[in-house]
Amino acid sequence: MRVVSLVPSLTEAVAVTVPEVLIGATDWCTHPAGLDVARVGGSKYPDLDRVLALRPDLVLLNVEENRREDADALAAAGVPVRVTYPRTVPQALTELADLLAALGVAGEPGWLAAARRAWADAPAPAAVRRAVVPVWRRPWVVLGGDTFAGDVLRRLGVVNLYDDDPERYPRPDLAAVRAREPELVVLPDEPYPFSATDGPEAFGGTPCALVSGRHLTWYGPSLAEAPGLLAAQLAAPLT
């Protein structure tokens, strides 16, 4: 089996479980550290010629990370593709298990079993907070409804004020975001690299929690650490 992954979280999942099958990944596939495979460009705009030159037996994609036209082009070239689209933590765990089984992994790897335990045993949040979750600025883009990250936050006691928006990633102006009167602003460090000096100043003193974008949005080995790490980060916002 020769696998090219165009999804950073799936790259990590495959690389730490069956590294011998992984032959290519995107430039954004940063985990595990020291990953030594062919690089095929970005996830949104991969170099399909490079992908095809690797003669993959399977290419991994995701509805949010990748473009439909690239999936169609690969399929038209005769390359099997596997497209993932989890919108909840249980869906992510199931899709990961199914993928690894399809790659010939016997039983669940330790990290996946640990992720199941971590989410099953996650403590009930002490309080529920109404929040907005920007994922980009210039222009502002916020987390909407029916998203994996939204389900992660919900399980940690964060109610997304844009959860009922018809857009999965709405683009309200800053005044509209402030008008929702959030009790908390959740600022992940990816895809936009929000930081203590880039983001909180826009929200007029509303507490801002700086969180790991990888643990909020990736579904892979990071799921085992995500409940504890994110809960700690959400509990210590900047004010």
Side-chain angles (χ1 to χ4, degrees), residues 55-118:
R55 297 178 291 107
D57 298 308
L58 182 66
V59 176
L60 307 180
L61 303 101
N62 171 267
V63 169
E64 289 194 351
E65 290 275 353
N66 311 112
R67 301 184 305 160
R68 175 64 179 266
E69 51 262 48
D70 291 328
D72 290 345
L74 289 165
V79 178
V81 299
R82 188 180 186 101
V83 181
T84 59
Y85 190 28
R87 274 92 75 204
T88 67
V89 171
Q91 286 176 355
L93 295 170
T94 296
E95 290 197 23
L96 287 163
D98 291 347
L99 168 61
L100 296 175
L103 296 180
V105 177
E108 287 195 349
W111 64 262
L112 185 52
R116 289 191 190 281
R117 290 193 301 270

Short mmCIF file of all heavy atoms in Angstrom, two decimals, residues 55-118:
data_model
loop_
_atom_site.label_atom_id
_atom_site.label_comp_id
_atom_site.label_asym_id
_atom_site.label_seq_id
_atom_site.Cartn_x
_atom_site.Cartn_y
_atom_site.Cartn_z
N ARG A 55 2.74 7.51 -7.62
CA ARG A 55 2.00 6.27 -7.89
C ARG A 55 1.29 5.73 -6.64
O ARG A 55 1.47 4.59 -6.23
CB ARG A 55 2.93 5.20 -8.47
CG ARG A 55 3.54 5.56 -9.81
CD ARG A 55 4.49 4.49 -10.32
NE ARG A 55 5.70 4.41 -9.52
CZ ARG A 55 5.97 3.42 -8.69
NH1 ARG A 55 5.12 2.41 -8.54
NH2 ARG A 55 7.09 3.41 -7.99
N PRO A 56 0.45 6.56 -6.03
CA PRO A 56 -0.22 6.11 -4.80
C PRO A 56 -1.32 5.09 -5.08
O PRO A 56 -1.96 5.11 -6.14
CB PRO A 56 -0.82 7.40 -4.24
CG PRO A 56 -1.07 8.25 -5.46
CD PRO A 56 0.08 7.95 -6.39
N ASP A 57 -1.52 4.23 -4.12
CA ASP A 57 -2.66 3.32 -4.15
C ASP A 57 -3.88 3.96 -3.52
O ASP A 57 -5.01 3.50 -3.74
CB ASP A 57 -2.33 2.04 -3.36
CG ASP A 57 -1.16 1.28 -3.96
OD1 ASP A 57 -1.19 1.01 -5.16
OD2 ASP A 57 -0.21 0.99 -3.20
N LEU A 58 -3.64 5.01 -2.73
CA LEU A 58 -4.74 5.68 -2.05
C LEU A 58 -4.31 7.10 -1.68
O LEU A 58 -3.18 7.31 -1.25
CB LEU A 58 -5.12 4.92 -0.76
CG LEU A 58 -6.28 5.47 0.06
CD1 LEU A 58 -7.59 5.35 -0.72
CD2 LEU A 58 -6.38 4.73 1.39
N VAL A 59 -5.22 8.06 -1.87
CA VAL A 59 -4.98 9.44 -1.44
C VAL A 59 -6.06 9.80 -0.43
O VAL A 59 -7.25 9.58 -0.65
CB VAL A 59 -5.01 10.42 -2.62
CG1 VAL A 59 -4.85 11.86 -2.12
CG2 VAL A 59 -3.90 10.10 -3.62
N LEU A 60 -5.64 10.37 0.70
CA LEU A 60 -6.55 10.74 1.79
C LEU A 60 -6.89 12.22 1.69
O LEU A 60 -6.01 13.06 1.56
CB LEU A 60 -5.90 10.45 3.13
CG LEU A 60 -5.37 9.03 3.34
CD1 LEU A 60 -4.75 8.90 4.74
CD2 LEU A 60 -6.47 8.00 3.14
N LEU A 61 -8.18 12.51 1.74
CA LEU A 61 -8.67 13.88 1.67
C LEU A 61 -9.75 14.11 2.72
O LEU A 61 -10.27 13.18 3.32
CB LEU A 61 -9.25 14.19 0.27
CG LEU A 61 -8.34 13.99 -0.93
CD1 LEU A 61 -8.67 12.68 -1.62
CD2 LEU A 61 -8.47 15.14 -1.90
N ASN A 62 -10.11 15.39 2.88
CA ASN A 62 -11.15 15.78 3.82
C ASN A 62 -11.99 16.88 3.17
O ASN A 62 -11.46 17.73 2.45
CB ASN A 62 -10.51 16.28 5.12
CG ASN A 62 -11.52 16.91 6.05
OD1 ASN A 62 -11.73 18.11 6.03
ND2 ASN A 62 -12.16 16.10 6.86
N VAL A 63 -13.28 16.87 3.45
CA VAL A 63 -14.18 17.83 2.82
C VAL A 63 -13.79 19.27 3.13
O VAL A 63 -13.87 20.15 2.26
CB VAL A 63 -15.63 17.55 3.26
CG1 VAL A 63 -16.57 18.69 2.84
CG2 VAL A 63 -16.11 16.22 2.67
N GLU A 64 -13.35 19.54 4.37
CA GLU A 64 -12.99 20.91 4.74
C GLU A 64 -11.59 21.29 4.28
O GLU A 64 -11.34 22.42 3.88
CB GLU A 64 -13.09 21.09 6.26
CG GLU A 64 -14.52 21.09 6.76
CD GLU A 64 -14.60 21.61 8.17
OE1 GLU A 64 -13.56 21.80 8.81
OE2 GLU A 64 -15.74 21.83 8.64
N GLU A 65 -10.66 20.37 4.35
CA GLU A 65 -9.26 20.68 4.05
C GLU A 65 -9.00 20.80 2.55
O GLU A 65 -8.15 21.59 2.13
CB GLU A 65 -8.34 19.58 4.60
CG GLU A 65 -8.23 19.55 6.11
CD GLU A 65 -7.18 20.50 6.63
OE1 GLU A 65 -6.44 21.08 5.82
OE2 GLU A 65 -7.11 20.66 7.85
N ASN A 66 -9.71 20.02 1.75
CA ASN A 66 -9.36 19.86 0.35
C ASN A 66 -10.50 20.26 -0.57
O ASN A 66 -11.65 20.36 -0.15
CB ASN A 66 -8.95 18.41 0.08
CG ASN A 66 -7.93 17.90 1.07
OD1 ASN A 66 -8.24 17.01 1.87
ND2 ASN A 66 -6.74 18.46 1.06
N ARG A 67 -10.17 20.45 -1.84
CA ARG A 67 -11.16 20.88 -2.82
C ARG A 67 -11.76 19.68 -3.57
O ARG A 67 -11.05 18.73 -3.88
CB ARG A 67 -10.53 21.83 -3.82
CG ARG A 67 -9.91 23.08 -3.22
CD ARG A 67 -9.38 24.02 -4.28
NE ARG A 67 -8.43 23.34 -5.16
CZ ARG A 67 -8.10 23.77 -6.38
NH1 ARG A 67 -8.67 24.85 -6.87
NH2 ARG A 67 -7.22 23.10 -7.09
N ARG A 68 -13.04 19.79 -3.86
CA ARG A 68 -13.72 18.70 -4.57
C ARG A 68 -13.08 18.46 -5.94
O ARG A 68 -12.95 17.31 -6.38
CB ARG A 68 -15.21 19.07 -4.74
CG ARG A 68 -16.01 18.08 -5.58
CD ARG A 68 -16.09 16.72 -4.93
NE ARG A 68 -16.86 15.78 -5.70
CZ ARG A 68 -18.16 15.55 -5.52
NH1 ARG A 68 -18.83 16.21 -4.58
NH2 ARG A 68 -18.79 14.66 -6.24
N GLU A 69 -12.65 19.54 -6.60
CA GLU A 69 -12.08 19.36 -7.93
C GLU A 69 -10.79 18.55 -7.92
O GLU A 69 -10.49 17.83 -8.88
CB GLU A 69 -11.86 20.71 -8.64
CG GLU A 69 -11.10 21.74 -7.83
CD GLU A 69 -12.00 22.73 -7.15
OE1 GLU A 69 -12.98 22.30 -6.50
OE2 GLU A 69 -11.73 23.95 -7.27
N ASP A 70 -10.03 18.63 -6.84
CA ASP A 70 -8.81 17.82 -6.75
C ASP A 70 -9.16 16.35 -6.53
O ASP A 70 -8.53 15.47 -7.11
CB ASP A 70 -7.91 18.34 -5.62
CG ASP A 70 -7.31 19.69 -5.94
OD1 ASP A 70 -7.05 19.96 -7.14
OD2 ASP A 70 -7.09 20.48 -5.01
N ALA A 71 -10.17 16.10 -5.70
CA ALA A 71 -10.61 14.72 -5.50
C ALA A 71 -11.11 14.14 -6.82
O ALA A 71 -10.80 12.99 -7.17
CB ALA A 71 -11.71 14.67 -4.44
N ASP A 72 -11.89 14.93 -7.56
CA ASP A 72 -12.41 14.45 -8.84
C ASP A 72 -11.29 14.21 -9.84
O ASP A 72 -11.32 13.22 -10.60
CB ASP A 72 -13.40 15.47 -9.41
CG ASP A 72 -14.70 15.56 -8.61
OD1 ASP A 72 -14.95 14.63 -7.82
OD2 ASP A 72 -15.43 16.54 -8.79
N ALA A 73 -10.27 15.09 -9.85
CA ALA A 73 -9.16 14.92 -10.80
C ALA A 73 -8.36 13.66 -10.49
O ALA A 73 -7.95 12.94 -11.41
CB ALA A 73 -8.26 16.15 -10.76
N LEU A 74 -8.15 13.39 -9.21
CA LEU A 74 -7.43 12.18 -8.83
C LEU A 74 -8.23 10.93 -9.21
O LEU A 74 -7.68 9.97 -9.75
CB LEU A 74 -7.14 12.19 -7.34
CG LEU A 74 -6.09 13.21 -6.87
CD1 LEU A 74 -6.14 13.38 -5.36
CD2 LEU A 74 -4.70 12.79 -7.32
N ALA A 75 -9.52 10.96 -8.93
CA ALA A 75 -10.36 9.82 -9.28
C ALA A 75 -10.39 9.61 -10.80
O ALA A 75 -10.33 8.46 -11.28
CB ALA A 75 -11.78 10.03 -8.75
N ALA A 76 -10.43 10.71 -11.56
CA ALA A 76 -10.44 10.60 -13.02
C ALA A 76 -9.14 10.02 -13.54
O ALA A 76 -9.11 9.37 -14.61
CB ALA A 76 -10.69 11.97 -13.63
N ALA A 77 -8.05 10.23 -12.80
CA ALA A 77 -6.75 9.68 -13.19
C ALA A 77 -6.60 8.22 -12.74
O ALA A 77 -5.54 7.62 -12.94
CB ALA A 77 -5.63 10.53 -12.60
N GLY A 78 -7.64 7.68 -12.13
CA GLY A 78 -7.60 6.28 -11.72
C GLY A 78 -7.04 6.04 -10.34
O GLY A 78 -6.75 4.88 -9.98
N VAL A 79 -6.87 7.09 -9.54
CA VAL A 79 -6.31 6.94 -8.20
C VAL A 79 -7.44 6.83 -7.18
O VAL A 79 -8.29 7.73 -7.09
CB VAL A 79 -5.42 8.14 -7.84
CG1 VAL A 79 -4.89 8.00 -6.41
CG2 VAL A 79 -4.27 8.26 -8.83
N PRO A 80 -7.51 5.78 -6.39
CA PRO A 80 -8.52 5.68 -5.34
C PRO A 80 -8.34 6.79 -4.31
O PRO A 80 -7.21 7.12 -3.92
CB PRO A 80 -8.29 4.31 -4.72
CG PRO A 80 -7.57 3.53 -5.78
CD PRO A 80 -6.70 4.53 -6.48
N VAL A 81 -9.45 7.39 -3.88
CA VAL A 81 -9.40 8.43 -2.86
C VAL A 81 -10.31 8.02 -1.71
O VAL A 81 -11.30 7.30 -1.89
CB VAL A 81 -9.83 9.81 -3.40
CG1 VAL A 81 -8.89 10.26 -4.51
CG2 VAL A 81 -11.27 9.79 -3.89
N ARG A 82 -9.95 8.49 -0.53
CA ARG A 82 -10.80 8.28 0.66
C ARG A 82 -11.04 9.65 1.27
O ARG A 82 -10.09 10.33 1.67
CB ARG A 82 -10.12 7.35 1.67
CG ARG A 82 -11.04 6.93 2.82
CD ARG A 82 -10.32 6.02 3.79
NE ARG A 82 -11.23 5.50 4.82
CZ ARG A 82 -11.77 4.30 4.81
NH1 ARG A 82 -11.47 3.46 3.82
NH2 ARG A 82 -12.57 3.91 5.77
N VAL A 83 -12.30 10.07 1.32
CA VAL A 83 -12.65 11.41 1.78
C VAL A 83 -13.31 11.32 3.15
O VAL A 83 -14.30 10.60 3.33
CB VAL A 83 -13.60 12.10 0.78
CG1 VAL A 83 -13.94 13.51 1.27
CG2 VAL A 83 -12.97 12.16 -0.61
N THR A 84 -12.76 12.03 4.11
CA THR A 84 -13.30 12.04 5.47
C THR A 84 -14.08 13.32 5.73
O THR A 84 -13.85 14.34 5.09
CB THR A 84 -12.18 11.90 6.51
OG1 THR A 84 -11.26 13.00 6.34
CG2 THR A 84 -11.42 10.59 6.33
N TYR A 85 -14.99 13.27 6.71
CA TYR A 85 -15.80 14.46 7.00
C TYR A 85 -16.45 14.33 8.38
O TYR A 85 -17.67 14.38 8.50
CB TYR A 85 -16.86 14.63 5.92
CG TYR A 85 -17.63 15.94 5.96
CD1 TYR A 85 -17.07 17.11 6.49
CD2 TYR A 85 -18.92 16.00 5.46
CE1 TYR A 85 -17.77 18.29 6.49
CE2 TYR A 85 -19.65 17.18 5.46
CZ TYR A 85 -19.07 18.33 5.98
OH TYR A 85 -19.78 19.50 6.00
N PRO A 86 -15.67 14.16 9.44
CA PRO A 86 -16.29 14.06 10.77
C PRO A 86 -16.75 15.43 11.27
O PRO A 86 -16.06 16.42 11.11
CB PRO A 86 -15.15 13.52 11.64
CG PRO A 86 -13.92 14.05 10.98
CD PRO A 86 -14.21 14.06 9.51
N ARG A 87 -17.95 15.46 11.87
CA ARG A 87 -18.45 16.69 12.47
C ARG A 87 -18.63 16.57 13.97
O ARG A 87 -19.01 17.53 14.63
CB ARG A 87 -19.79 17.09 11.84
CG ARG A 87 -19.65 17.92 10.59
CD ARG A 87 -19.63 17.05 9.35
NE ARG A 87 -20.96 16.55 9.03
CZ ARG A 87 -21.18 15.44 8.32
NH1 ARG A 87 -20.17 14.71 7.88
NH2 ARG A 87 -22.41 15.05 8.04
N THR A 88 -18.32 15.39 14.50
CA THR A 88 -18.38 15.20 15.96
C THR A 88 -17.19 14.35 16.38
O THR A 88 -16.56 13.69 15.55
CB THR A 88 -19.67 14.47 16.39
OG1 THR A 88 -19.64 13.13 15.89
CG2 THR A 88 -20.92 15.17 15.88
N VAL A 89 -16.90 14.36 17.68
CA VAL A 89 -15.82 13.53 18.20
C VAL A 89 -16.08 12.05 17.94
O VAL A 89 -15.19 11.34 17.45
CB VAL A 89 -15.58 13.81 19.69
CG1 VAL A 89 -14.62 12.79 20.29
CG2 VAL A 89 -15.06 15.23 19.89
N PRO A 90 -17.28 11.51 18.23
CA PRO A 90 -17.52 10.09 17.93
C PRO A 90 -17.34 9.75 16.45
O PRO A 90 -16.80 8.68 16.12
CB PRO A 90 -18.96 9.87 18.39
CG PRO A 90 -19.18 10.89 19.45
CD PRO A 90 -18.42 12.09 18.98
N GLN A 91 -17.79 10.63 15.56
CA GLN A 91 -17.59 10.38 14.14
C GLN A 91 -16.10 10.33 13.79
O GLN A 91 -15.67 9.49 13.00
CB GLN A 91 -18.27 11.47 13.30
CG GLN A 91 -19.78 11.38 13.25
CD GLN A 91 -20.40 12.54 12.49
OE1 GLN A 91 -19.72 13.46 12.06
NE2 GLN A 91 -21.72 12.49 12.33
N ALA A 92 -15.32 11.22 14.39
CA ALA A 92 -13.88 11.24 14.12
C ALA A 92 -13.24 9.94 14.57
O ALA A 92 -12.42 9.35 13.85
CB ALA A 92 -13.23 12.43 14.82
N LEU A 93 -13.60 9.47 15.75
CA LEU A 93 -13.02 8.22 16.26
C LEU A 93 -13.40 7.05 15.36
O LEU A 93 -12.57 6.17 15.08
CB LEU A 93 -13.49 7.99 17.69
CG LEU A 93 -13.00 9.02 18.73
CD1 LEU A 93 -13.73 8.81 20.05
CD2 LEU A 93 -11.50 8.95 18.92
N THR A 94 -14.64 7.03 14.89
CA THR A 94 -15.08 5.95 14.01
C THR A 94 -14.36 6.00 12.67
O THR A 94 -13.91 4.97 12.14
CB THR A 94 -16.60 6.03 13.80
OG1 THR A 94 -17.25 5.82 15.05
CG2 THR A 94 -17.08 4.97 12.81
N GLU A 95 -14.25 7.20 12.09
CA GLU A 95 -13.60 7.33 10.79
C GLU A 95 -12.12 6.96 10.88
O GLU A 95 -11.57 6.35 9.96
CB GLU A 95 -13.77 8.74 10.23
CG GLU A 95 -15.20 9.04 9.81
CD GLU A 95 -15.31 10.24 8.89
OE1 GLU A 95 -14.32 10.61 8.23
OE2 GLU A 95 -16.41 10.83 8.83
N LEU A 96 -11.47 7.30 11.97
CA LEU A 96 -10.07 6.93 12.15
C LEU A 96 -9.92 5.41 12.25
O LEU A 96 -9.03 4.82 11.63
CB LEU A 96 -9.51 7.61 13.40
CG LEU A 96 -9.24 9.11 13.28
CD1 LEU A 96 -9.09 9.74 14.66
CD2 LEU A 96 -8.00 9.37 12.43
N ALA A 97 -10.79 4.78 13.03
CA ALA A 97 -10.73 3.33 13.16
C ALA A 97 -10.96 2.65 11.82
O ALA A 97 -10.26 1.69 11.46
CB ALA A 97 -11.75 2.86 14.19
N ASP A 98 -11.93 3.15 11.06
CA ASP A 98 -12.22 2.55 9.75
C ASP A 98 -11.05 2.73 8.78
O ASP A 98 -10.71 1.81 8.02
CB ASP A 98 -13.48 3.18 9.16
CG ASP A 98 -14.75 2.80 9.91
OD1 ASP A 98 -14.70 1.85 10.72
OD2 ASP A 98 -15.79 3.45 9.68
N LEU A 99 -10.43 3.90 8.80
CA LEU A 99 -9.29 4.15 7.92
C LEU A 99 -8.14 3.21 8.25
O LEU A 99 -7.56 2.58 7.35
CB LEU A 99 -8.83 5.60 8.06
CG LEU A 99 -7.47 5.94 7.42
CD1 LEU A 99 -7.51 5.70 5.91
CD2 LEU A 99 -7.05 7.36 7.75
N LEU A 100 -7.79 3.09 9.52
CA LEU A 100 -6.67 2.25 9.89
C LEU A 100 -6.95 0.78 9.58
O LEU A 100 -6.05 0.05 9.15
CB LEU A 100 -6.34 2.45 11.37
CG LEU A 100 -5.86 3.86 11.74
CD1 LEU A 100 -5.69 3.99 13.24
CD2 LEU A 100 -4.56 4.21 11.01
N ALA A 101 -8.19 0.36 9.76
CA ALA A 101 -8.55 -1.01 9.39
C ALA A 101 -8.37 -1.22 7.89
O ALA A 101 -7.87 -2.27 7.46
CB ALA A 101 -9.97 -1.31 9.82
N ALA A 102 -8.75 -0.21 7.10
CA ALA A 102 -8.60 -0.32 5.65
C ALA A 102 -7.13 -0.37 5.24
O ALA A 102 -6.80 -0.92 4.18
CB ALA A 102 -9.29 0.86 4.96
N LEU A 103 -6.26 0.17 6.08
CA LEU A 103 -4.82 0.14 5.80
C LEU A 103 -4.16 -1.11 6.36
O LEU A 103 -2.93 -1.24 6.32
CB LEU A 103 -4.14 1.39 6.37
CG LEU A 103 -4.58 2.73 5.76
CD1 LEU A 103 -3.84 3.88 6.42
CD2 LEU A 103 -4.36 2.75 4.25
N GLY A 104 -4.96 -2.02 6.89
CA GLY A 104 -4.43 -3.30 7.35
C GLY A 104 -4.00 -3.35 8.78
O GLY A 104 -3.36 -4.32 9.21
N VAL A 105 -4.33 -2.33 9.56
CA VAL A 105 -3.95 -2.33 10.97
C VAL A 105 -4.87 -3.28 11.74
O VAL A 105 -6.09 -3.16 11.66
CB VAL A 105 -4.04 -0.91 11.56
CG1 VAL A 105 -3.72 -0.92 13.05
CG2 VAL A 105 -3.11 0.04 10.81
N ALA A 106 -4.28 -4.20 12.46
CA ALA A 106 -5.05 -5.16 13.25
C ALA A 106 -5.32 -4.59 14.63
O ALA A 106 -4.39 -4.34 15.41
CB ALA A 106 -4.29 -6.48 13.36
N GLY A 107 -6.57 -4.35 14.95
CA GLY A 107 -6.91 -3.78 16.25
C GLY A 107 -6.64 -2.29 16.29
O GLY A 107 -6.06 -1.71 15.38
N GLU A 108 -7.04 -1.67 17.40
CA GLU A 108 -6.84 -0.23 17.53
C GLU A 108 -5.47 0.08 18.11
O GLU A 108 -5.06 -0.57 19.08
CB GLU A 108 -7.92 0.37 18.44
CG GLU A 108 -9.28 0.46 17.79
CD GLU A 108 -10.23 1.37 18.55
OE1 GLU A 108 -9.91 1.76 19.69
OE2 GLU A 108 -11.29 1.68 17.99
N PRO A 109 -4.77 1.06 17.54
CA PRO A 109 -3.49 1.46 18.14
C PRO A 109 -3.72 2.10 19.50
O PRO A 109 -4.83 2.56 19.82
CB PRO A 109 -2.94 2.48 17.13
CG PRO A 109 -4.15 3.02 16.43
CD PRO A 109 -5.12 1.88 16.36
N GLY A 110 -2.67 2.16 20.30
CA GLY A 110 -2.78 2.68 21.64
C GLY A 110 -3.31 4.10 21.71
O GLY A 110 -4.10 4.44 22.59
N TRP A 111 -2.88 4.94 20.75
CA TRP A 111 -3.31 6.34 20.81
C TRP A 111 -4.81 6.48 20.56
O TRP A 111 -5.46 7.36 21.15
CB TRP A 111 -2.52 7.21 19.83
CG TRP A 111 -2.70 6.88 18.37
CD1 TRP A 111 -1.88 6.11 17.60
CD2 TRP A 111 -3.76 7.30 17.51
NE1 TRP A 111 -2.36 6.02 16.31
CE2 TRP A 111 -3.51 6.75 16.24
CE3 TRP A 111 -4.89 8.10 17.69
CZ2 TRP A 111 -4.35 6.97 15.14
CZ3 TRP A 111 -5.74 8.32 16.60
CH2 TRP A 111 -5.46 7.76 15.35
N LEU A 112 -5.37 5.62 19.71
CA LEU A 112 -6.80 5.71 19.44
C LEU A 112 -7.61 5.22 20.64
O LEU A 112 -8.63 5.83 21.01
CB LEU A 112 -7.15 4.91 18.18
CG LEU A 112 -8.60 5.00 17.69
CD1 LEU A 112 -9.06 6.45 17.56
CD2 LEU A 112 -8.75 4.26 16.36
N ALA A 113 -7.16 4.16 21.27
CA ALA A 113 -7.82 3.69 22.49
C ALA A 113 -7.74 4.75 23.58
O ALA A 113 -8.71 4.98 24.33
CB ALA A 113 -7.19 2.38 22.96
N ALA A 114 -6.58 5.43 23.67
CA ALA A 114 -6.42 6.49 24.68
C ALA A 114 -7.35 7.66 24.39
O ALA A 114 -7.90 8.27 25.31
CB ALA A 114 -4.96 6.96 24.71
N ALA A 115 -7.53 7.97 23.10
CA ALA A 115 -8.44 9.06 22.73
C ALA A 115 -9.88 8.71 23.12
O ALA A 115 -10.62 9.56 23.63
CB ALA A 115 -8.34 9.34 21.24
N ARG A 116 -10.28 7.48 22.89
CA ARG A 116 -11.64 7.07 23.29
C ARG A 116 -11.83 7.24 24.80
O ARG A 116 -12.85 7.75 25.27
CB ARG A 116 -11.89 5.61 22.89
CG ARG A 116 -12.04 5.37 21.41
CD ARG A 116 -12.54 3.95 21.16
NE ARG A 116 -12.47 3.60 19.77
CZ ARG A 116 -13.34 3.98 18.84
NH1 ARG A 116 -14.36 4.75 19.17
NH2 ARG A 116 -13.19 3.59 17.58
N ARG A 117 -10.82 6.79 25.57
CA ARG A 117 -10.92 6.90 27.02
C ARG A 117 -10.96 8.36 27.46
O ARG A 117 -11.72 8.74 28.36
CB ARG A 117 -9.75 6.18 27.70
CG ARG A 117 -9.78 4.67 27.58
CD ARG A 117 -8.78 4.03 28.53
NE ARG A 117 -7.42 4.48 28.27
CZ ARG A 117 -6.58 3.88 27.42
NH1 ARG A 117 -6.98 2.82 26.73
NH2 ARG A 117 -5.35 4.33 27.25
N ALA A 118 -10.12 9.18 26.83
CA ALA A 118 -10.02 10.58 27.23
C ALA A 118 -11.35 11.30 27.07
O ALA A 118 -11.78 12.07 27.94
CB ALA A 118 -8.93 11.28 26.43
#
